Amino acid sequence: MVMKSSVEDDDAGWGLGIPEKMKNNANWVDITHEFKGACKELNLGELLHDKLFGLFEAMSAIEMMDPKMDAGMIGNQVNRKVLNFDQAIKEGVIKVKDLSLPELIGIIDTCFCCLITWLEGHSLAQTVFTCLYVHNPDLIEEPALKAFALGILKVCDIAREKVNKAAVFEEEDFQAMTYGFKMANNVTDLRVTGMLKDVEDELQRKVKSTRSRQGEQRDPEVELEVRRHQQFLALFNRIKFTRLLLTALIAFTKKETSSVGEAQKLVAQAADLLSAIHSSIQHGIQSQNDTTKGDHPIMMGFEPLVNQRLLPPTFPRYAKIIKREDMVVYFSKLIERIKTVCDVINTTNLHGILDFFCEFSEQSPCVLSRSLLQTTFLIDNKKVFGTHLMQDMIKDALRYFVSPPVLSYKCCLFNNHQAKDYIDSFVTHCSRPFCSLIQIHGHNRARQRDKLGHILEEFATLQDEAEKVDAALHSLLMKLEPQRQHLACLGTWILYHNLRIMIQYLLSGFELELYSMHEYYYIYWYLSEFLYAWLMSTLSRADSSQMAEERILEEQLKGRSSKKTKKKKKVRPLSKEITMSQAYQNMCAGMYKTMVALDMDGKVRKPQFELDSEQVRYEHRFAPFNSVVTPPPVHYIQFKEMSDLKKYNPPPGSADLYLAASKHFQQAKLILENVPSPDPEVTRILKVAKPNIVVMKLLAGGHKKETKVLPEFDFTAHKYFPVVKII
């Protein structure tokens, strides 16, 4: 039964409660006694429930009136009256004009902190809209605060639109709901930037007028003037930063490629203001912490509980607003990421774009920068950078990778209608899976792995089609130019991407710490003996195909011109990738042999399998590969046969395996040390290979063989390959 007093309390605090009509017509009956009596008839462990309310519903139900479960109850725990913007103005709790400079600086800084907390996955109701000023900026009479409130709403609106459009977020990344708040849609973007610029110019005049003159005597009045100058400068920097950030985001909404360069210049200017903002944080009024609810800032213009009743009826999610010092650090990292996003337009080929997305994703960027990268790459889901067709990018990627005769201008198939239909149809079918693959790299790291497993099915279908198109083009070419062949050109290219996805899927398990130590050996075996072996043969086949096509073109040119041309040594386009694949293969082989040897010495902890077995775990790890035909998946029984050491005579001992592992690490080191202009990845692998060579040689010599202390695997130097430490 609902107690009358509690209803009245509720009405007083929130303006909500049981409707009057329902109170008058209802005849409330207390059933507590009967309910408890019925409960006593149930035995221990028995549960009585309606067929529409089973255990599943019980798990997601909330217990009303329990503060730990009911988000609406938090409001009843505070002693103060929770006021909205209009009520706060009426009661004189907040000012809308004649705000002091420290008040303005403090409000702006706290608003920035709320904006970042929202970008990190909390709701607008618990972050930005805890600032009462943004509820209705029209009521604000202070020009600087009004312009800032409109600016921050526009920043939120554009960020939300970009994140929604890119669709690379999950519920843990971002909450797009606006809870019915107006996002300053009645004011144009141009008007808001204009208002911010007007305020900025006015503040700049005040900064100049309060500047201290050289040789002036330091008395209390001058000291006060110096402080006012610093405060005006602090406010000026914050308003300018808001304008630059907003203008940069507006530039990303334009369809012209030139606007990306414009955005890059704007964020670079914004970055220059951050050190000044950081050094002037102390000029703003500081928030007093709300003692009843942890460390949510309570200061003029902010009410953390004002939107409590707008939250969905779920378990309360506590939004911890970040500190002001951390806010500046976050903004500097965000700006660096946006600068990197702008560089994507300088990448012209599809393989380069894929690599760019992979490298960018490795930094675990925030949802806004990931979304900006997606929407910059594919504008309105039609054209790459708004200028290139995806089909043309795919054709260029094929020419670069495998040089298929059908795409060579000097080949008879180039203008053959039937061949054109075949290749155009294939390239069109490739567009969607490749766009999806690039989109997958925009998701957070954990979700990426999940989605990579699913996209393999689409690439398996493409693989089948590529082989059929290759066969049809080959038979056409045989009739027209018997000296040329078109075998496994398109198939090689799709196989290459298939293998890259499979390798990435397995390696990301190390980064996400999904594998137990006893599983390492079969993951590294699958990579070294199978996937990297296939990848290297695929790259070699593509390289040979390119060379064959180049030879034919050279012969055609020779026939036309009698002049002798000097041969220049050409850099093979795929040589770096072949080198890196060899290094990766050696690293994986070294780790596989290390794990087998450690297992022989009893230094790998294994679980007591009860409800599952190694086979079940193995099959679970490689389950997504079952949809792929080429390369065929290696089943557990095949793996056990292929990795059985008893087939060698005599079977190798742990010392032999440690030595073999050290040779693999040594080989990886030699390969990488000969790479011209090494990138950071080369340096990272070398940091693992070098210590592992030493450790393996020590272990091969019987170092600490008797100790039963388990080795440590340190993934700090490289996320896929650990440094083995024997304690």
Side-chain angles (χ1 to χ4, degrees):
M1 182 172 116
V2 177
M3 297 296 288
K4 189 83 180 82
S5 63
S6 73
V7 173
E8 281 169 356
D9 289 347
D10 201 54
D11 283 348
W14 298 95
L16 292 167
I18 295 170
E20 199 64 41
K21 187 180 171 187
M22 199 172 159
K23 281 191 221 172
N24 297 339
N25 297 349
N27 182 21
W28 297 94
V29 179
D30 189 341
I31 60 159
T32 311
H33 184 70
E34 287 88 339
F35 179 75
K36 286 188 175 175
C39 287
K40 282 176 184 170
E41 291 178 27
L42 292 171
N43 294 325
L44 186 68
E46 274 190 313
L47 182 71
L48 183 71
H49 67 87
D50 185 85
K51 64 181 178 189
L52 296 175
F53 189 83
L55 286 171
F56 181 77
E57 287 77 16
M59 282 298 292
S60 50
I62 62 164
E63 190 177 335
M64 290 179 74
M65 315 299 280
D66 179 353
K68 291 196 293 296
M69 299 180 83
D70 187 348
M73 281 300 291
I74 293 172
N76 301 337
Q77 295 177 307
V78 292
N79 303 322
R80 67 176 190 279
K81 196 175 181 184
V82 176
L83 303 171
N84 63 27
F85 191 31
D86 295 330
Q87 292 165 337
I89 294 170
K90 272 181 198 165
E91 298 204 9
V93 179
I94 65 173
K95 300 181 194 172
V96 286
K97 61 178 179 180
D98 304 326
L99 282 91
S100 68
L101 291 170
E103 283 171 343
L104 286 168
I105 295 164
I107 289 165
I108 288 172
D109 281 353
T110 310
C111 237
F112 280 150
C113 293
C114 290
L115 172 71
I116 286 166
T117 310
W118 171 59
L119 288 175
E120 283 297 284
H122 289 280
S123 68
L124 272 171
Q126 287 178 291
T127 53
V128 178
F129 285 112
T130 59
C131 176
L132 300 176
Y133 289 110
V134 299
H135 287 210
N136 191 354
D138 295 340
L139 299 177
I140 305 169
E141 293 175 41
E142 174 67 50
L145 189 56
K146 183 173 185 171
F148 173 76
L150 288 167
I152 212 83
L153 284 172
K154 285 288 181 190
V155 167
C156 288
D157 197 35
I158 296 171
R160 193 177 60 87
E161 183 211 333
K162 283 284 168 194
V163 173
N164 277 333
K165 197 172 182 181
V168 288
F169 69 96
E170 304 292 335
E171 58 185 355
E172 70 266 23
D173 290 320
F174 187 72
Q175 292 189 38
M177 200 170 165
T178 56
Y179 300 93
F181 283 106
K182 296 183 187 77
M183 305 296 283
N185 295 327
N186 56 332
V187 192
T188 62
D189 297 347
L190 202 63
R191 175 91 183 93
V192 175
T193 51
M195 286 170 79
L196 285 163
K197 187 77 177 97
D198 292 345
V199 170
E200 196 183 308
D201 293 343
E202 179 60 32
L203 285 168
Q204 194 164 22
R205 280 194 287 275
K206 286 179 178 171
V207 166
K208 284 177 182 172
S209 67
T210 56
R211 192 177 288 148
S212 61
R213 284 145 194 85
Q214 279 186 334
E216 219 169 11
Q217 291 295 312
R218 284 290 174 128
D219 56 42
E221 209 171 292
V222 173
E223 288 289 341
L224 191 67
E225 193 69 7
V226 167
R227 193 178 301 119
R228 275 181 61 74
H229 168 75
Q230 289 171 344
Q231 288 169 353
F232 274 126
L233 188 61
L235 185 57
F236 166 77
N237 285 330
R238 282 156 175 77
I239 295 293
K240 187 177 181 181
F241 179 81
T242 309
R243 179 180 65 81
L244 290 169
L245 182 65
L246 174 59
T247 318
L249 288 174
I250 292 167
F252 275 110
T253 61
K254 295 173 186 169
K255 291 182 182 178
E256 300 81 29
T257 319
S258 59
S259 60
V260 177
E262 184 192 325
Q264 197 166 21
K265 284 175 192 165
L266 290 161
V267 290
Q269 287 174 38
D272 296 339
L273 299 170
L274 286 172
S275 61
I277 290 173
H278 190 268
S279 61
S280 58
I281 284 171
Q282 78 282 359
H283 290 304
I285 55 167
Q286 301 301 311
S287 56
Q288 285 76 47
N289 282 345
D290 176 4
T291 49
T292 57
K293 197 65 199 143
D295 40 18
H296 203 302
I298 298 288
M299 59 182 288
M300 189 180 75
F302 287 83
E303 176 48 78
L305 299 175
V306 71
N307 304 315
Q308 202 63 34
R309 289 295 167 108
L310 295 177
L311 298 176
T314 54
F315 306 113
R317 189 175 177 196
Y318 174 49
K320 185 179 178 182
I321 306 296
I322 71 161
K323 293 186 174 71
R324 293 181 190 184
E325 292 77 11
D326 299 336
M327 168 266 289
V328 180
V329 175
Y330 186 96
F331 270 134
S332 72
K333 286 180 180 172
L334 174 65
I335 285 170
E336 281 310 310
R337 289 194 291 265
I338 293 174
K339 282 184 193 169
T340 309
V341 165
C342 297
D343 290 336
V344 75
I345 59 167
N346 304 325
T347 314
T348 49
N349 63 42
L350 185 64
H351 289 186
I353 289 168
L354 263 170
D355 290 340
F356 186 99
F357 272 75
C358 288
E359 283 168 27
F360 186 72
S361 168
E362 282 172 8
Q363 305 164 22
S364 294
C366 66
V367 70
L368 177 60
S369 47
R370 296 198 315 253
S371 303
L372 288 173
L373 181 58
Q374 291 289 330
T375 52
T376 305
F377 163 67
L378 211 59
I379 293 176
D380 292 339
N381 296 324
K382 287 173 189 161
K383 288 188 174 180
V384 177
F385 309 136
T387 52
H388 311 291
L389 282 170
M390 189 64 183
Q391 286 90 322
D392 295 338
M393 298 285 280
I394 289 169
K395 283 180 181 177
D396 288 345
L398 275 162
R399 281 192 193 101
Y400 165 80
F401 186 78
V402 80
S403 304
V406 71
L407 293 175
S408 169
Y409 305 110
K410 307 281 183 188
C411 178
C412 60
L413 287 184
F414 188 71
N415 292 315
N416 183 295
H417 291 300
Q418 201 175 355
K420 257 189 171 172
D421 289 346
Y422 284 146
I423 192 73
D424 288 347
S425 167
F426 171 71
V427 166
T428 306
H429 290 165
C430 284
S431 296
R432 205 179 73 85
F434 275 94
C435 285
S436 301
L437 182 60
I438 287 168
Q439 190 181 32
I440 284 170
H441 290 300
H443 283 270
N444 67 48
R445 299 294 277 175
R447 297 284 185 169
Q448 260 184 54
R449 186 173 191 275
D450 201 27
K451 291 174 189 296
L452 284 172
H454 292 300
I455 204 171
L456 276 171
E457 293 173 24
E458 288 187 50
F459 273 85
T461 312
L462 272 185
Q463 180 81 48
D464 188 41
E465 188 183 344
E467 284 164 12
K468 286 175 183 169
V469 174
D470 270 332
L473 290 171
H474 183 65
S475 61
L476 264 177
L477 193 57
M478 284 290 101
K479 292 171 193 168
L480 300 165
E481 280 186 66
Q483 78 276 19
R484 271 185 172 179
Q485 56 176 18
H486 204 298
L487 286 171
C489 290
L490 310 177
T492 300
W493 185 64
I494 295 291
L495 176 59
Y496 162 74
H497 285 287
N498 249 335
L499 290 162
R500 266 181 63 142
I501 294 167
M502 292 164 88
I503 288 167
Q504 199 177 346
Y505 177 84
L506 286 183
L507 288 176
S508 62
F510 290 107
E511 183 186 353
L512 298 167
E513 299 176 16
L514 300 180
Y515 308 133
S516 296
M517 193 201 291
H518 66 91
E519 294 181 285
Y520 287 179
Y521 89 102
Y522 53 72
I523 303 288
Y524 283 123
W525 177 88
Y526 209 102
L527 284 161
S528 69
E529 299 297 313
F530 192 64
L531 294 180
Y532 275 115
W534 269 84
L535 182 65
M536 278 170 15
S537 75
T538 305
L539 288 166
S540 303
R541 197 182 323 142
D543 198 43
S544 319
S545 179
Q546 280 181 358
M547 287 166 83
E549 197 57 30
E550 280 167 20
R551 270 199 304 274
I552 288 167
L553 288 173
E554 275 173 25
E555 280 165 19
Q556 285 178 351
L557 287 168
K558 263 186 201 170
R560 286 179 194 169
S561 72
S562 54
K563 287 179 185 176
K564 283 188 177 180
T565 53
K566 279 187 179 179
K567 270 196 176 182
K568 284 184 183 175
K569 198 178 179 188
K570 207 176 167 192
V571 178
R572 307 297 316 148
L574 303 175
S575 60
K576 188 175 181 192
E577 195 158 358
I578 292 170
T579 306
M580 288 305 289
S581 298
Q582 285 172 335
Y584 275 118
Q585 187 186 31
N586 275 296
M587 289 300 290
C588 290
M591 282 310 303
Y592 159 64
K593 286 175 183 171
T594 303
M595 293 312 300
V596 175
L598 287 169
D599 188 28
M600 280 182 176
D601 288 348
K603 289 186 180 173
V604 176
R605 185 189 284 122
K606 290 193 172 181
Q608 297 295 314
F609 291 113
E610 283 179 25
L611 300 172
D612 68 345
S613 61
E614 187 177 73
Q615 182 171 354
V616 169
R617 289 195 176 211
Y618 177 95
E619 283 166 1
H620 172 71
R621 292 296 180 210
F622 302 110
F625 300 169
N626 291 334
S627 60
V628 181
V629 180
T630 313
V634 180
H635 297 293
Y636 183 71
I637 296 160
Q638 285 173 279
F639 157 68
K640 287 309 264 183
E641 285 170 8
M642 289 164 85
S643 62
D644 188 7
L645 298 175
K646 287 179 187 141
K647 63 185 178 186
Y648 299 104
N649 191 16
S654 61
D656 303 321
L657 288 167
Y658 287 133
L659 270 177
S662 81
K663 282 176 187 168
H664 283 299
F665 292 130
Q666 183 75 41
Q667 187 62 26
K669 176 176 167 282
L670 288 171
I671 291 166
L672 295 171
E673 282 176 342
N674 290 321
V675 170
S677 58
D679 56 14
E681 175 64 2
V682 171
T683 316
R684 284 194 292 267
I685 301 175
L686 283 170
K687 278 182 185 172
V688 177
K690 287 174 182 175
N692 279 357
I693 295 166
V694 178
V695 174
M696 291 309 113
K697 285 182 177 170
L698 285 170
L699 288 169
H703 177 70
K704 291 199 175 177
K705 189 164 185 173
E706 301 311 312
T707 179
K708 288 295 167 195
V709 179
L710 299 176
E712 272 185 15
F713 295 95
D714 182 3
F715 283 94
T716 48
H718 198 283
K719 58 192 171 195
Y720 305 143
F721 307 112
V723 172
V724 183
K725 293 182 175 178
I726 304 296
I727 304 149

